[in-house]
Amino acid sequence: MAKAVKTNAARLLDKEGIEYSLVSYNVDESDLSAIHVAEQLGENIEQVFKTLVLRGDRNGIFVCVIPGNAEVNLKAAAKVSGNKSAEMLHMKELLPTTGYIRGGCSPIGMKKKFPTYIHSSCSGFDFIYISAGIRGMQIRICPADLIRYTGAVLAELT
């Protein structure tokens, strides 16, 4: 397991005085799925959230944070973000747009503040896991703190 390193996302939470913990896991380059992360953490997959970056036809880039075992519903995501349609951002655009790579994309600390939507199921948990901004590291955080920090809107996204 990787040693817990302070990531940019963690430093930003520290600056705001938000309580969280960093949790490391073993990375499998051939399986970057949230399901693998949940298995490594020994946690419920419904509490391990993945961060997806989408582009809407009207309002541009936005972020969806959904349970690791779910698929984003593009129509629902488009509607909630004020778009007519939406598509996943191409992988080659992820790093230049967000500053993060696939498997290490956090809703905290992107290059720019994008509108963020988080699946409403998060509010049913005392804590959830999100990427800390690098592969091999997750942030365990209270959903309300994440919502407040990111300005996220709760939505049905799956």
Side-chain angles (χ1 to χ4, degrees), residues 8-9 12 51-53 61-65 94 97-100 105-116:
N8 187 42
L12 289 168
T51 303
L52 306 174
V53 183
I61 306 291
F62 64 100
V63 177
C64 291
V65 183
L94 190 61
T97 302
T98 67
Y100 291 125
C105 188
S106 178
I108 298 169
M110 290 187 182
K111 284 184 172 183
K112 187 179 164 202
K113 188 165 173 52
F114 297 109
T116 302

Side-chain angles (χ1 to χ4, degrees), residues 55-132:
R55 175 178 281 118
D57 65 330
R58 294 181 178 164
N59 300 323
I61 306 291
F62 64 100
V63 177
C64 291
V65 183
I66 65 171
N69 61 342
E71 294 287 325
V72 68
N73 177 321
L74 294 175
K75 283 186 192 272
K79 185 175 181 180
V80 76
S81 63
N83 290 285
K84 220 177 178 143
S85 65
E87 62 182 14
M88 293 293 294
L89 194 68
H90 293 289
M91 204 169 359
K92 68 179 192 277
E93 296 176 272
L94 190 61
L95 180 60
T97 302
T98 67
Y100 291 125
I101 60 171
R102 180 173 171 259
C105 188
S106 178
I108 298 169
M110 290 187 182
K111 284 184 172 183
K112 187 179 164 202
K113 188 165 173 52
F114 297 109
T116 302
Y117 304 90
I118 187 165
H119 194 271
S120 57
S121 67
C122 74
S123 54
F125 300 108
D126 292 336
F127 63 88
I128 60 170
Y129 291 88
I130 57 167
S131 174

Side-chain angles (χ1 to χ4, degrees), residues 3-25:
K3 183 180 171 281
V5 239
K6 282 282 180 173
T7 63
N8 187 42
R11 284 189 288 277
L12 289 168
L13 292 174
D14 286 344
K15 190 176 171 189
E16 294 298 314
I18 295 172
E19 197 176 312
Y20 69 93
S21 53
L22 286 172
V23 184
S24 61
Y25 65 92

